[in-house]
Amino acid sequence: MTAKRKMQAKGAQVIGAMKEVVGRATHNRKLQAEGKAEKSAGHGLDASEKIKDAMRKHGQQH
């Protein structure tokens, strides 16, 4: 995983989590949902990069 992509994934997860907490604290359902979506997108990006890394590593072993 490139450092840039890893930082993007972690950044989205952190910002999403913060939005979710603020949305919950202020009873702003739209912000809370936006935070959940952004956090999920960050997890998805992280997972896809891990799969790419595993496939590259597997391809180099053969």
Side-chain angles (χ1 to χ4, degrees):
M1 176 183 291
T2 65
K4 182 180 177 183
R5 299 282 283 187
K6 187 174 186 177
M7 287 177 55
Q8 287 174 336
K10 294 299 178 190
Q13 291 171 19
V14 170
I15 291 170
M18 289 182 351
K19 285 182 180 180
E20 190 176 355
V21 169
V22 171
R24 195 176 311 126
T26 60
H27 303 287
N28 183 335
R29 290 184 181 198
K30 182 179 178 186
L31 185 61
Q32 189 176 355
E34 187 179 311
K36 279 185 178 183
E38 195 164 341
K39 187 168 67 171
S40 293
H43 285 294
L45 180 60
D46 192 31
S48 70
E49 287 298 310
K50 285 180 181 178
I51 290 170
K52 287 179 188 176
D53 287 345
M55 295 198 58
R56 282 187 205 113
K57 186 176 180 180
H58 182 71
Q60 290 176 352
Q61 290 176 350
H62 290 190

